[in-house]
Amino acid sequence: MNAEIGKKKNVFFRRWEWYLVILIIFVNIVNVYLSPYYLNMTNLMDMTFNFMEKGFIVLIMAYIMISANIDISVASNIAMSSVVMSVLYQSGFNIWLAVLSGLCTGAAGGLLNGLIVTRFRLSSVVVTLGTYSLYRGISFLILGDKAVTKFPEGFSYVGQGYILNSPVPFQLVVFVVIAVLFILILHKTTFGRYVYSIGTNEEACRYSGVKVDRIKVILFTLSGFLSAFSGVFLTSRIGVSRPSIALNYELEIITIVVLGGVSMYGGKGTMAGVILALFLVGMLRYGLSLKNVPANMILIIIGLILICSAIIPNVVYGVRKRSEFRKEI
Amino acid sequence: MKNEGASEKVTARRRLFLKLTKFSEFGIFIFIVVLVIIVSLRSPYFFTLKNFNDILLDISILFIVATGQMLVILAKGLDLSVGAGVAFVGMVVALIVSNNWGIPPAVSILIGMGCGLVCGAFNGLIVSKGRVSPVITTLGTMSIFRGLAFVVSGGAWVDAVEMPESFKLIARGSILRIPNLIFFMILVFVLFYYFLNYTKTGRYIYAAGSNPAACRIIGVSVEKITLLTYAISGVLFGLGGVLWVSRYASAQSDSAMGFEFVTIAACVIGGVNIAGGSGTLPGLFLGVLLLGIIINALNLVRISPFLKLAFQGLVILIAVITNVIVEKRVLKTILSK
C-alpha cells in the first residue's frame, strides 16, 4: 500500500513537464547572463510577440497530434488567408470585413483538409502535404511577387498594441484566453477525451459509436481557422502581407508540440507540456538572437531539438523497461 | 473434386486481380497518350524528337531521387529530407570540386554518393533504432540539411566558372550517343528493377511494408530493412545532388526547394501505395514521365510559373484520391466475382 503511494508520487515528479520547467529555468539563466537588459518586465513582455502567433496554432496542433493526425499545411494556410485578406482590403473592402473573409478562407482550407482525410480515409500526412503546396501556390497565384504594405491604424493595434498603458501585449491576453479554453476542453470535456481515444485506437472508437469523422473535421477546420487567426496577428504585427509569409512555421510548430510531450503516434501528451514547450522554444530563440546566431543556424538547432525530443522519451522508456525487466528476474 | 473447383476459382481470381493491377498502370499510360495528343495539337513543337529528349533529360534526376523515395515508402516510411539532401550534397561536392580541380568526375560522383549515404543512414538510424516516426525524423533532418547547406557555403553560390569542365560534363556528356543523365536513369532503373524483383532483400522490403509483424515472425529484421531503405534513398539523392549541380552548373543552398513533394507526387501518381507494401518501378517511371510531360507542356503553353506550386499540390491530391477510388473499385469487383 505504502509502496504504491510512493510510486505514484514518483510518477508525478517523473513527468515530462518537470524537465521542461527545468529547461526553461536554465534557458532564462543563460539569457540573463547574456544580456543585462533581459530581466526587465517590458522586455519579457515584448519577447512574447515573437512566438504568440505560433502559439495559437500550437494549441490546435496539439489536439490534432494527440488524435494521431498531423497538419503540415498550417503555414501555407497562414499565407493564403493573409494574402486573401490583404488583397480584399486593397481592393476597397472595409478592413474588418477583409479580416473576416481571411478567417473564412483559412477555415475553408482546414475544412477541405478534414473532408479529404475523412471522406477517403487517407493519411493526413499526404493530404496536408498536398495542400501545403496547394495553399502556398494559391497565395503566389493571387499576389505573385508583390506585397501589400499599407494597413490602417486600427488594424495595427491587433498585433502591436498593448492593454491600456500596461506593458501587457494585447496578443498575449488573447492567447491566454484561448489557451485556457483549449486546456479546459481537452482535459475536462467528453470531446477532449474523445480526442485522446481517437489517438489511442480509432477503430475501437468507431465501434463504440464515437463520431470519429465529425471530430476530425472539426479539428482540421479549427486548425485552418486558427492558422488564419494567427495570420491576422502576424500581418498586423509586421505590417506586410506577401505569399512567402510564415515560411517554415510548420516545422517549429510541430517541434514545439513534440517537445511538449505529444507523441506522433497519438494518445499522449498534455496541454501544460505543450504550452511550456512553446515558451521554452520562444525563449531559446530569443536568447539565440541576442547572441546574434544566424537564422540558418537556428534552423539546424530547431531540427536537432525536434529529433532529440522525439528520441529521448523512447530511450528513457526503453531503459526503464529494461531495468524493470531485470528487477523481475 | 470440390477442392479442385476451389483452387480453380482462386487462380481465376488471382488472374483477374493481376489483370486489374496491370490496368491501373495502363490507366496512367492511356492518360499520358491522351495528354500528348492534346498538347501536340496546341503546340507543334511538343511532338518532336528533340523535345522528348529534353523531357527525358528533365525527369532523369527526378526519377533517380524518386526511386529512393519509393523504396522508403514501400517499407512504410516517408523521406521528406530528399530536397534538402540534394541541395546539401550538391553544395558539398561543388565546394570540394571547386577547391580541387584535379578530382576526376567519377570520384566526385562517389563522394556525392558517400555523403548522401551518411545523410540517409542518419535518417535510417533515428527511425529504426530511435523508433521516431519517419515524418518527425525527416522533417527535422530536412531543416538540418538545409541549414548545413547554408552553413558550409556561407550562403554564397558556387558558379559555373569555379567548376572544372570535366565536372560539368558529367551531366552534359554522353555515352554511346545516349546522354549521360538518361544513361544514369536507365542504370538506376535496371539495377533497382533487378533488386526489387529478383533478390531476397528486395522482396523483404515489400514484406516489411505490407506486414511488419509477419516479417518479424519469419525472422526478418524490419529495423534493418528500414535502415537499408533510408540509406539507399540517401545514396540516390547524393547521386541526384551531384547530377543537379553538374547539370545547372551552379550550386545554391536553396536549390531543390520542394523537391521532396515532387518525388512523393511521382510515387503516388505512379501507383505506389503511400501506406507501404505495393508499387512497381515501371509504374513509378510512368508517374515521373507524366509529371515531366505536364511541366514541359505548362512551359510550352506559357502558363505563369506561379501556377507551378499550386499545380503540384493539386496533382498530389487528385492522384491520391483517384488511387483510393480505383482501389475500392478493384476490391469491389474482386469481391463480387
Side-chain angles (χ1 to χ4, degrees):
Chain A
M1 192 68 194
N2 242 345
E4 239 171 64
I5 291 171
K7 224 179 189 177
K8 253 186 194 165
K9 225 182 206 170
N10 240 343
V11 167
F12 179 73
F13 280 107
R14 261 197 212 160
R15 286 179 62 164
W16 184 247
E17 285 82 352
W18 291 111
Y19 298 110
L20 293 175
V21 171
I22 294 168
L23 281 175
I24 286 180
I25 294 170
F26 175 73
V27 167
N28 272 306
I29 291 172
V30 173
N31 281 355
V32 169
Y33 176 74
L34 280 179
S35 162
Y37 307 106
Y38 180 76
L39 207 62
N40 173 319
M41 195 59 187
T42 326
N43 179 56
L44 284 179
M45 282 297 166
D46 280 358
M47 181 178 67
T48 61
F49 275 120
N50 295 306
F51 53 88
M52 274 309 120
E53 288 114 10
K54 286 165 198 153
F56 295 127
I57 306 176
V58 161
L59 295 174
I60 185 68
M61 186 68 91
Y63 275 59
I64 290 184
M65 287 180 67
I66 288 172
S67 75
N69 284 293
I70 197 165
D71 187 351
I72 303 177
S73 70
V74 282
S76 307
N77 214 341
I78 293 181
M80 182 170 74
S81 47
S82 164
V83 164
V84 166
M85 176 184 88
S86 50
V87 164
L88 281 180
Y89 169 67
Q90 216 179 19
S91 66
F93 271 73
N94 176 296
I95 182 69
W96 302 114
L97 211 62
V99 166
L100 192 69
S101 40
L103 292 177
C104 289
T105 312
L111 181 67
L112 182 70
N113 279 338
L115 286 180
I116 298 176
V117 168
T118 52
R119 262 312 272 129
F120 300 102
R121 294 276 169 90
L122 274 166
S123 117
S124 51
V125 177
V126 191
V127 174
T128 54
L129 267 182
T131 52
Y132 166 93
S133 57
L134 178 65
Y135 296 160
R136 183 71 70 180
I138 289 176
S139 32
F140 270 108
L141 263 186
I142 296 174
L143 213 52
D145 48 4
K146 289 192 277 297
V148 178
T149 46
K150 285 204 177 70
F151 290 103
E153 188 70 11
F155 179 63
S156 51
Y157 178 80
V158 175
Q160 300 171 8
Y162 297 89
I163 297 292
L164 299 174
N165 282 326
S166 66
V168 183
F170 174 66
Q171 229 179 355
L172 184 64
V173 176
V174 177
F175 175 78
V176 169
V177 171
I178 296 181
V180 168
L181 214 67
F182 268 72
I183 293 172
L184 289 179
I185 292 174
L186 186 64
H187 294 303
K188 297 286 172 209
T189 66
T190 356
F191 183 85
R193 295 319 297 172
Y194 283 159
V195 171
Y196 276 101
S197 55
I198 290 173
T200 320
N201 193 338
E202 192 181 318
E203 233 18 61
C205 268
R206 265 184 226 282
Y207 284 125
S208 48
V210 178
K211 292 197 172 76
V212 174
D213 285 352
R214 188 189 288 175
I215 292 175
K216 274 195 195 170
V217 170
I218 291 174
L219 289 182
F220 277 104
T221 313
L222 259 179
S223 164
F225 177 79
L226 279 175
S227 302
F229 193 71
S230 130
V232 172
F233 279 91
L234 184 62
T235 314
S236 156
R237 179 166 68 88
I238 61 179
V240 59
S241 166
R242 49 167 190 265
S244 61
I245 202 172
L247 213 58
N248 287 336
Y249 267 33
E250 66 281 344
L251 174 76
E252 204 171 325
I253 288 164
I254 293 169
T255 304
I256 290 169
V257 176
V258 173
L259 183 62
V262 176
S263 156
M264 174 69 199
Y265 298 116
K268 259 198 306 199
T270 61
M271 226 51 203
V274 171
I275 291 171
L276 283 173
L278 171 69
F279 278 84
L280 174 59
V281 171
M283 286 165 174
L284 181 72
R285 222 175 208 286
Y286 193 73
L288 289 175
S289 58
L290 278 182
K291 195 86 180 100
N292 269 334
V293 176
N296 296 307
M297 217 42 214
I298 295 182
L299 196 67
I300 298 180
I301 292 170
I302 291 193
L304 280 174
I305 295 175
L306 174 61
I307 292 177
C308 290
S309 55
I311 287 185
I312 291 169
N314 289 352
V315 173
V316 169
Y317 181 75
V319 169
R320 210 180 281 166
K321 221 175 174 189
R322 233 172 283 154
S323 69
E324 268 165 29
F325 186 67
R326 251 179 233 140
K327 260 182 221 159
E328 269 171 34
I329 288 177
Chain B
M1 273 307 266
K2 220 178 181 183
N3 246 343
E4 254 172 50
S7 68
E8 220 170 277
K9 225 179 185 177
V10 168
T11 47
R13 231 184 243 176
R14 190 168 290 166
R15 224 173 282 146
L16 182 81
F17 185 70
L18 279 177
K19 250 187 209 164
L20 282 166
T21 44
K22 271 197 187 136
F23 182 73
S24 75
E25 269 155 34
F26 190 63
I28 310 171
F29 186 68
I30 295 284
F31 192 75
I32 290 176
V33 171
V34 171
L35 194 76
V36 165
I37 293 172
I38 293 174
V39 181
S40 320
L41 289 178
R42 285 286 309 270
S43 159
Y45 178 72
F46 182 77
F47 203 75
T48 56
L49 204 61
K50 188 177 177 310
N51 193 38
F52 274 107
N53 191 29
D54 284 350
I55 292 177
L56 282 181
L57 281 176
D58 277 339
I59 64 171
S60 51
I61 297 177
L62 174 59
F63 178 78
I64 291 168
V65 180
T67 304
Q69 180 74 266
M70 176 178 134
L71 291 185
V72 173
I73 293 177
L74 280 182
K76 262 193 184 341
L78 195 67
D79 195 345
L80 293 176
S81 69
V82 293
V86 164
F88 173 54
V89 173
M91 182 53 86
V92 168
V93 171
L95 284 174
I96 291 176
V97 167
S98 67
N99 286 323
N100 312 282
W101 277 48
I103 289 183
V107 175
S108 57
I109 292 177
L110 285 180
I111 293 173
M113 286 164 79
C115 190
L117 176 66
V118 173
C119 296
F122 183 65
N123 278 334
L125 279 177
I126 293 169
V127 173
S128 63
K129 297 279 176 224
R131 265 176 266 131
V132 178
S133 114
V135 179
I136 299 290
T137 309
T138 54
L139 207 60
T141 50
M142 173 169 126
S143 68
I144 294 176
F145 297 159
R146 184 68 69 186
L148 281 177
F150 275 102
V151 169
V152 293
S153 66
W157 294 16
V158 180
D159 282 330
V161 285
E162 296 171 57
M163 298 173 195
E165 199 54 37
S166 63
F167 181 72
K168 283 181 270 186
L169 267 179
I170 294 176
R172 303 213 166 148
S174 56
I175 300 170
L176 302 172
R177 300 192 59 202
I178 306 170
N180 276 354
L181 278 175
I182 299 177
F183 180 77
F184 276 115
M185 176 163 72
I186 295 171
L187 197 69
V188 166
F189 184 96
V190 172
L191 212 68
F192 281 93
Y193 190 78
Y194 177 78
F195 174 64
L196 279 177
N197 294 309
Y198 298 104
T199 66
K200 235 184 196 173
T201 322
R203 300 315 296 170
Y204 284 155
I205 292 179
Y206 281 97
S210 53
N211 197 339
C215 224
R216 278 197 195 95
I217 289 170
I218 61 165
V220 177
S221 163
V222 177
E223 279 74 34
K224 270 187 197 153
I225 298 281
T226 310
L227 178 58
L228 180 73
T229 54
Y230 282 98
I232 292 175
S233 170
V235 170
L236 289 176
F237 73 58
L239 176 62
V242 177
L243 294 179
W244 185 291
V245 171
S246 163
R247 170 147 210 241
Y248 298 105
S250 86
Q252 302 159 23
S253 25
D254 59 350
S255 62
M257 275 279 194
F259 198 56
E260 55 277 357
F261 300 112
V262 189
T263 60
I264 294 169
C267 287
V268 173
I269 297 166
V272 178
N273 185 353
I274 199 77
S278 73
T280 64
L281 215 49
L284 175 68
F285 178 74
L286 286 180
V288 171
L289 188 65
L290 181 61
L291 269 182
I293 290 177
I294 289 173
I295 290 171
N296 182 279
L298 282 180
N299 288 339
L300 283 185
V301 191
R302 291 193 188 166
I303 292 175
S304 146
F306 292 123
L307 193 78
K308 237 177 175 174
L309 197 63
F311 193 77
Q312 261 170 32
L314 210 60
V315 167
I316 296 186
L317 287 181
I318 291 172
V320 285
I321 291 172
T322 38
N323 221 353
V324 167
I325 293 172
V326 167
E327 224 167 64
K328 257 186 200 160
R329 193 151 295 170
V330 169
L331 261 180
K332 226 182 224 170
T333 41
I334 289 175
L335 289 179
S336 66
K337 288 266 162 146

